[in-house]
C-alpha cells in the first residue's frame, strides 16, 4: 500500500499511475473522485457551500474508477466524465466541496473499500494522514508554485483551454491554501513520509526514486 500526497500540479497522478503499473498495483486517483462529486453538484445546481445537499448527493453516488490504456477513466452515474472533471469550473469549485465533512467521510469509505482489493497506489491530499495511515510507504510529492503552474497551463492548453500563467498560478495557490487550511483532514506533510521535490526532475527520475523507496 503506497500513499502519495502533495499540492496541485506536483506530479502525483502522473507518478502514481506509472508506479502502480510497474508494481502491478491498482491506482486510485482520489482527486478524480472529489472532482466527480463536484461535477455532479454543479450539474444538479447544488451550491458548493450547501453541506446538507452535498451530504445527500454523495450518499448513493454511482462513482467508478476504471483502469484504462491512457490512465484511469471516471464514470459518474454510468457516464464517462474523465475529461469533463478537469474543466476549470470543476477545479474552481472542488476545494469547497472537498471541505464538507460528509463528503470526505463518504469518499473515505469508498477509498478504503478500493484499498482492500489488494496492492494499491493511492494519491491525494490526506492519504498518508487519514485514509491509509497504515500504508507501507508514504511519499509527499511537491514542486515550486511556478513550476506547477507551468505544468498545469501546458495540460490545459492541450485540452484546448487557454489561460495565462498568472491566472493558473493564482488558481493553484488559492486551492492549495483552501486544501491546507480546512479543518477536516487538510493537506499535511506527515512525519513518516519521504519528500520528493520534482521541480528540476523528469517524470522518470521521480518514478525511479519512488520505486527505490518502495523496495
Ligand atoms: N518531474 C515530473 N514529475 C511529475 N510530473 C511532471 C514532471 N515533470 C513534468 N511533469 C508533468 O506535470 C504534470 C503533473 O500533473 P499531475 O500528475 O496531474 O499532478 P498532480 O496529480 O500532483 O496534480 C503532468 O503533465 C506531468 O507530465
Ligand atoms: N485526497 C484528496 C484528494 C483531492 N482533494 C480535493 O480535490 C481537489 C482536486 O484534486 P486533484 O488531485 O485532482 O487536483 P490536481 O492537483 O490534479 O489539480 C483538491 O484540490 C482537493 O480540494 C481532497 O480534498 N482530498
Amino acid at each position: 500500500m503506497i500513499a502519495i500526497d502533495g499540492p496541485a500540479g506536483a506530479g502525483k497522478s502522473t507518478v502514481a499511475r506509472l508506479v502502480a503499473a510497474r508494481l502491478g498495483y491498482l491506482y486510485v486517483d482520489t482527486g478524480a473522485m472529489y472532482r466527480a462529486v463536484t461535477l455532479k453538484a454543479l450539474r444538479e445546481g447544488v451550491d458548493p457551500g450547501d453541506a446538507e445537499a452535498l451530504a445527500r448527493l454523495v450518499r448513493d453516488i454511482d462513482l467508478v474508477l476504471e483502469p484504462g490504456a491512457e490512465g484511469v477513466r471516471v464514470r459518474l452515474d454510468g457516464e464517462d466524465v474523465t475529461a469533463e472533471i478537469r474543466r476549470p469550473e470543476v477545479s474552481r469549485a472542488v476545494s469547497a466541496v472537498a471541505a464538507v465533512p460528509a463528503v470526505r467521510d463518504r469518499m473515505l469509505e469508498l477509498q478504503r473499500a478500493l484499498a482492500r482489493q489488494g496492492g494499491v497506489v493511492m494519491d491525494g491530499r490526506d492519504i498518508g494522514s487519514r485514509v491509509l495511515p497504515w500504508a507501507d510507504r508514504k511519499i509527499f510529492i511537491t514542486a515550486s508554485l511556478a513550476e506547477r503552474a507551468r505544468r498545469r497551463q501546458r495540460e490545459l492548453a492541450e485540452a484546448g483551454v487557454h489561460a495565462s500563467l498568472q491566472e493558473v498560478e493564482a488558481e493553484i495557490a488559492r486551492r492549495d491554501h483552501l486544501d491546507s487550511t480546512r479543518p477536516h483532514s487538510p493537506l499535511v506533510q506527515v512525519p513518516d513520509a519521504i519528500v520528493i521535490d520534482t521541480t528540476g526532475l523528469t517524470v522518470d527520475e521521480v518514478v525511479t526514486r519512488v520505486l527505490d523507496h518502495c523496495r
Side-chain angles (χ1 to χ4, degrees):
M1 220 173 257
I2 301 170
I4 301 184
D5 292 297
K12 301 179 298 297
S13 325
T14 305
V15 170
R17 184 167 58 79
L18 293 168
V19 167
R22 283 288 294 274
L23 298 175
Y25 283 11
L26 175 71
Y27 165 48
V28 179
D29 179 351
T30 67
M33 299 172 75
Y34 286 98
R35 286 174 175 274
V37 172
T38 304
L39 178 64
K40 188 171 166 77
L42 293 174
R43 283 178 170 182
E44 295 184 9
V46 170
D47 188 306
D50 187 343
E52 274 181 32
L54 286 169
R56 276 196 299 278
L57 184 135
V58 291
R59 202 168 298 146
D60 42 28
I61 191 168
D62 176 10
L63 184 53
V64 179
L65 301 182
E66 293 174 343
E70 290 155 53
V72 178
R73 313 284 323 166
V74 182
R75 280 191 182 280
L76 174 65
D77 301 323
E79 180 191 343
D80 188 329
V81 294
T82 312
E84 210 175 338
I85 59 169
R86 306 283 158 200
R87 303 276 318 162
E89 311 82 89
V90 176
S91 299
R92 264 193 297 275
V94 65
S95 290
V97 172
V100 173
V103 171
R104 301 206 71 79
D105 291 347
R106 180 74 185 120
M107 292 303 112
L108 178 92
E109 283 174 9
L110 298 177
Q111 289 155 9
R112 286 195 180 154
L114 288 166
R116 276 196 290 275
Q117 294 179 15
V120 67
V121 181
M122 195 177 283
D123 87 316
R125 302 292 187 285
D126 60 340
I127 311 309
S129 57
R130 179 156 188 262
V131 180
L132 305 174
W134 48 79
D136 304 294
R137 294 288 186 275
K138 298 182 186 181
I139 297 136
F140 191 87
I141 293 193
T142 185
S144 71
L145 177 62
E147 175 63 18
R148 293 187 286 118
R150 272 193 294 276
R151 292 177 184 172
R152 191 44 48 91
Q153 188 195 34
R154 197 176 313 131
E155 284 180 338
L156 286 168
E158 281 165 12
V161 177
H162 296 280
S164 74
L165 200 54
Q166 288 99 306
E167 266 178 283
V168 177
E169 188 171 309
E171 178 53 34
I172 287 183
R174 184 190 70 92
R175 191 143 57 85
D176 287 345
H177 176 72
L178 291 173
D179 292 342
S180 314
T181 55
R182 67 174 171 238
H184 195 30
S185 53
L187 166 65
V188 284
Q189 195 181 307
V190 290
D192 52 341
I194 64 150
V195 181
I196 303 179
D197 185 334
T198 70
T199 307
L201 302 177
T202 64
V203 171
D204 278 352
E205 285 169 333
V206 181
V207 170
T208 301
R209 284 193 196 190
V210 174
L211 288 170
D212 284 347
H213 178 61
C214 293
R215 287 215 171 87

